Amino acid sequence: MTADSKLNRITLIIALTAVALFVPGTPETREASDLVALVEAFKKDPRGPYKRIAWFCADGTVRAAKDPCPEPGGMQHAVPKDVTLQIEQELGIYFGQILAGTPFDIFLDGTNGFSRLKQFQLEKFLRAADDGWIMRRAQHYRGAVQAEDESAWGAEFLAWLLAPDWVLTSQFYLGREISRDIPHREIEGRAPRVRAMSKRIADVYPAFMDIRIKIHGRPDAADRQRVTAFIGRHRNKISPDLLEQLQALERDLETMYRSATVSSLERYLGRIPQDSPVARALRAILRADVVGWAQPVTKEPGTAIAPTPAETDTTQAQAGVDTVAAAVPVVRNPTAVKCGAIADLLWTIREYISSPGDGATRLAMMDLSLDLEAILLRTVPEWRPETIGGLVALTAVLAKAAAGCGLVEVWEWGELQPILQVADSTETLAAFSQKVDAARRAVEWGAAMTRVAYESVIALYAEFEPLALGFVDDRIRVSILLPLGDAAGRLMREGARLAGVTNRVFDLGGGVQIRGLNPGFAVGELEVIKEITGEVSFSPEKIYVLPYPPADLEPVAGIVSVSEGNAVSHVQLLARNLGIPNAAITQRTFERLLDYAGDRVFYAVSPRGNVVIKPASKMTTEEKDLIGTGGPAGQKIAVPTDKLNIDIARVITLDSLRASDSGRICGPKAANLGQLKLLFPHRVAPGLVIPFGVFRRHMDRPMPGADESYWQFLEETFRRAERHRESTGSEGAVAGYVLSRLSLLRDAIGRMPVLPEGREAFARVFYDVFGDSLGRVPVFIRSDTNMEDLADFTGAGLNLTAANVVAEGNILQAIRDVWASPFSERSYRWRQRYLANPENVFPSILILRSIDVDKSGVMITTGLESANPNDVTVAFNRGAGGAVAGQAAEMYLLREDGADILLAPARAGRYTRLPAAGGTSREYTGFSRPILTAEERAVLRTLAAEIKQALAGVLGEGFEGPYDVELGFAGGSVWLFQVRPLVENERARSSAYLRAMDTEPRKGVRVSPGDTVHARNG
């Protein structure tokens, strides 16, 4: 069940359920209408989501709280309310989970993307962020949760979870994070004494009961402050003996939750194999902590610990790699050495943790990893490099630590590691820029790992609890990503200074980290959206600051996003094509832009990626004149209709089409693919095409409920719209009228009867092409209009594709739905904004046999990032439909010199498969292995060259590329699904104003590792 379908059942479930609110004095029962009301009810209820306390016995029986189990092994804890259980069963939402007694595999919820486990983590965050959240009053519900039972269960569960290798190989980040959140540590053996002492105090002094219940149920580091505050309030009311007990409790709590130190790590030596690389590296760190950190950590024979950094007055030794590139070292930096050694050990743990076979040992190493990260987070602020080399080394150490913490996969760190090395002498600006890009990518990849791990449960909870939207940000801020982001930010500002990049974003100064993606300019209201939900309505008059570009974006004036998505998605190609200014920012810059939400701004991105965002009130005369022209997108494109041939009203085969048929009898998808079928017959699936003429013949029939045909209804809609425009001048009113009429037309087309003779002819051609009867072969049914892939308008992704349809009735319905899709609001708004004659839309339909590919994506036969026409850009995801819908895809720049540069790893946690029975299924995946192998990347290089050669001048007179190709791998074979010209907005790129924003690249600049850093922490 999807999150949407679950949430649609909320009202029904809760309307049938009475929520008991136990108010002191008079029990009250009231009905909640939705989950928002239910959450509020839980907050006010002294029992929260629970109804009573019970004994859960080893024999499976449940007994009353005052009737203990007769045999050992029983546990006492709360029983969920009926509504709590019903919501679990119907919606898969788990409130107030009690771990003790829960079957491990049920809690893991592996077949559902680990949803239940992740909800436990999310609720823990909500309780901390909102004064207990649903447990606001139930925090003091005595006996609801027993900390010792939870901790014992947690230790057994985590040992069970970490015992199999798959968690550590494919879900290392999640396994580590859940080890952080599941209670399982009896810290220094003091927990039983703390519970016993708190009970004695509460027995003689009832005012302490709430704190006692808190310590027994859900203890945490804040308990010491609670006890301290209690002593302050009650000091004059309690006996000296009781005061002494409270102070002893206060000291024990302080000791329990004292932050980990290097010396405290010694306790792990007895829990991990003594001859392991982890133990040897840990002993080396413990020795260094005793003798001092002025020298590199001495390695024991056979240890895996790598050389560590040592800042000098001229350069900085490289940390976290296998070689040290240091100039003459004079002054060593103890903090740098310490941070490098900790990062090395974090990495060593990740490499070695799966070697010992038992889960308990693996859990000990995971706990050690968490403690090391905490120590590193406290230590790294003391490392303040003043040289370029020092800053690169700091960034490398933190990036390696991020990989050790699971935020970057092992193979991904293998791509970054060779780049993030301190030069042993001066280097070119281009070489230094590669380090800057690698640092930025490390931060982006780590943040994306966090986001994708929890995005499904956040989306589920955000519908009724907006505070859930803060979970990922909170997770990032307590991780190594925070200092890594600071270091990478400083490196990015240093790179911008050296390259002469002059971003100007309000008055935010050098602390802003922004890079332009697509050139263009616009004026509009700045709208900052913290989280994209189905309720967001986009306006063509606004500039949007987003956490990531949505898969289906309506026309907008400009885009600024924390995650750029992938550069070849339909949304990004539309922005690139239409001259919509588009830039990527860091999370910190996103937060700083919140202060400007609602302001009217001028926004421009240059061809080389310089960015200007400023108040519209401060626009220059040149900028006002520029906007007055309507901007790059203001010159509307007329769709040619003179060559349309609607006389061909029969189904035709794909292999009978050529590129010259585009816009004549069918759209460019089918025409270009027919050309590919001729050139690469074994790489294009069998297909057939329903041309424009078949659509027009059906549209010329009478429209039910109207005194005219479907086509006459469409023509009359636009005639009336033009009269409204001339009489009122209100584009908003005109658009509203047109959209209401198109909605009626779309619904009518969706119910349009298929002509009997057309159905029979279609069935015959279907059999001839696919070798089996209609309804027995799964096919893709794709819209293919005359308004796509024009010289200045791509139209990518605006209309419907029906995926993997089998049943005859479903195929015929999909044909009607695809015919109707160009009349949707989103499709119309894009056409209306950029095309001069949007009413002249003719859809044809391309029907292809489904290929259940292992991986799929997009190949652009040019370097989008490098601007080198001889490079190739590829973006792939697992399964079908990769990259085009905006998924966080695995992206490479396949350079002309033979190098494969990883621009981004995939961060899409699910992918699509195409069952033979039809429809689609969604599978979960991890990121421990790259999607594309080196051999497959080599195949793509060769294929790009073949396509460029074969299609030169074919898809347009004189057009020799670049091309946008959709394709996939199945069983090692490459299948081609679509090819189109890559349409870029030349007006935006050639704008004199935008060109003037760019300074000439600085030539001959050399960067020395001993150069002084200008960019400070910001």
Side-chain angles (χ1 to χ4, degrees), residues 565-588:
N566 76 70
V568 298
S569 68
H570 286 151
V571 167
Q572 293 289 12
L573 291 178
L574 274 172
R576 193 177 188 90
N577 162 214
L578 298 170
I580 296 172
N582 188 359
I585 56 175
T586 62
Q587 182 65 35
R588 176 168 290 189

Side-chain angles (χ1 to χ4, degrees), residues 591-807:
E591 292 162 3
R592 298 180 76 178
L593 290 178
L594 286 169
D595 293 338
Y596 300 90
D599 292 359
R600 185 169 174 77
V601 303
F602 171 77
Y603 174 33
V605 177
S606 77
R608 290 194 188 129
N610 286 342
V611 179
V612 171
I613 306 178
K614 65 181 183 180
S617 60
K618 295 184 178 180
M619 290 169 62
T620 65
T621 300
E622 180 186 12
E623 289 161 351
K624 291 177 181 177
D625 291 343
L626 185 71
I627 294 300
T629 67
Q635 305 168 39
K636 292 193 174 183
I637 304 156
V639 181
T641 57
D642 53 332
K643 67 174 185 177
L644 275 171
N645 181 352
I646 58 174
D647 294 330
I648 300 177
R650 55 182 174 78
V651 179
I652 55 181
T653 62
L654 178 65
D655 55 14
S656 68
L657 291 169
R658 298 295 179 265
S660 57
D661 293 318
S662 176
R664 189 173 69 89
I665 60 178
C666 64
K669 284 191 186 79
N672 295 345
L673 198 59
Q675 188 75 47
L676 276 183
K677 183 76 170 170
L678 172 68
L679 300 170
F680 304 96
H682 301 299
R683 296 196 186 279
V684 178
L688 54 85
V689 177
I690 302 175
F692 298 143
V694 175
F695 168 74
R696 180 58 188 267
R697 184 177 175 190
H698 280 78
M699 290 289 285
D700 283 338
R701 299 165 67 203
M703 179 173 166
D707 296 328
E708 54 196 342
S709 69
Y710 297 90
W711 190 257
Q712 289 168 334
F713 182 91
L714 176 63
E715 289 184 317
E716 183 63 21
T717 296
F718 285 99
R719 279 196 294 269
R720 292 183 186 179
E722 188 57 35
R723 290 197 293 270
H724 284 317
R725 185 175 290 108
E726 292 173 355
S727 62
T728 66
S730 171
E731 286 296 333
V734 171
Y737 167 76
V738 172
L739 289 172
S740 65
R741 293 266 295 184
L742 291 184
S743 178
L744 295 174
L745 178 64
R746 192 168 62 251
D747 290 344
I749 293 174
R751 298 189 299 271
M752 175 190 288
V754 176
L755 290 171
E757 63 273 23
R759 186 261 170 221
E760 293 168 5
F762 175 60
R764 286 195 300 271
V765 178
F766 189 100
Y767 186 91
D768 291 341
V769 169
F770 298 118
D772 209 337
S773 303
L774 180 64
R776 297 179 62 87
V777 179
V779 292
F780 267 65
I781 302 172
R782 306 188 67 179
S783 174
D784 189 21
T785 75
N786 62 324
M787 294 192 171
E788 299 174 29
D789 301 343
L790 306 173
D792 296 295
F793 182 76
T794 175
L798 291 185
N799 300 315
L800 179 67
T801 292
N804 206 40
V805 187
V806 177

Side-chain angles (χ1 to χ4, degrees), residues 53-56 64-66 74-78 142-146 149:
I53 307 297
W55 279 99
F56 294 80
K66 296 182 178 180
M75 294 180 292
Q76 188 184 65
H77 58 72
R142 185 174 179 180
V145 180
Q146 303 293 336
D149 291 338

Side-chain angles (χ1 to χ4, degrees), residues 221-475:
D223 291 338
R224 186 197 62 79
Q225 289 90 339
R226 292 185 178 95
V227 173
T228 301
F230 184 87
I231 292 172
R233 293 194 305 271
H234 294 265
R235 183 181 292 271
N236 296 329
K237 306 175 187 177
I238 58 180
S239 67
D241 179 62
L242 189 57
L243 176 59
E244 185 177 336
Q245 291 183 55
L246 283 164
Q247 290 171 336
L249 176 62
E250 185 182 26
R251 289 191 297 271
D252 275 350
L253 286 167
E254 173 66 28
T255 302
M256 277 181 63
Y257 294 105
R258 182 180 297 142
S259 297
T261 62
V262 170
S263 60
S264 72
L265 302 179
E266 186 174 3
R267 67 181 182 271
Y268 288 106
L269 287 175
R271 301 172 59 193
I272 57 181
Q274 292 302 293
D275 60 346
S276 68
V278 175
R280 290 195 293 268
L282 177 56
R283 284 194 293 267
I285 286 178
L286 291 169
R287 282 198 311 274
D289 196 53
V290 173
V291 302
W293 293 92
Q295 301 295 323
V297 176
T298 303
K299 298 187 293 180
E300 291 186 14
T303 187
I305 193 166
T308 53
E311 185 160 14
T312 74
D313 56 358
T314 57
T315 188
Q316 174 75 31
Q318 170 61 32
V321 295
D322 293 333
T323 60
V324 176
V328 181
V330 178
V331 180
R332 296 193 181 276
N333 181 337
T335 302
V337 175
K338 182 177 180 179
C339 290
I342 292 171
D344 285 337
L345 182 47
L346 282 166
W347 176 250
T348 301
I349 290 170
R350 179 155 193 195
E351 285 191 305
Y352 180 77
I353 191 170
S354 60
S355 295
D358 67 290
T361 303
R362 292 176 173 186
L363 177 56
M365 283 191 280
M366 198 68 87
D367 287 341
L368 172 59
S369 176
L370 292 166
D371 283 351
L372 285 166
E373 181 185 15
I375 295 169
L376 183 57
L377 285 170
R378 293 198 306 274
T379 306
V380 78
E382 300 171 12
W383 182 1
R384 302 181 182 91
E386 300 295 332
T387 63
I388 293 288
L391 185 55
V392 172
L394 170 62
T395 306
V397 164
L398 292 172
K400 186 173 189 179
C405 294
L407 290 155
V408 175
E409 292 288 1
V410 171
W411 71 273
E412 296 166 7
W413 172 237
E415 298 284 340
L416 296 174
Q417 180 186 19
I419 303 172
L420 286 172
Q421 298 198 36
V422 178
D424 56 1
S425 61
T426 61
E427 61 184 341
T428 64
L429 180 59
F432 179 69
S433 296
Q434 289 181 6
K435 292 179 172 57
V436 173
D437 286 341
R440 170 182 58 80
R441 288 174 183 143
V443 177
E444 291 179 354
W445 301 355
M449 179 72 81
T450 307
R451 186 186 70 249
V452 73
Y454 297 103
E455 60 187 358
S456 59
V457 295
I458 289 172
L460 184 62
Y461 275 57
E463 295 289 339
F464 60 88
E465 180 48 85
L467 285 174
L469 298 175
F471 179 69
V472 167
D473 182 59
D474 180 78
R475 214 78 185 173

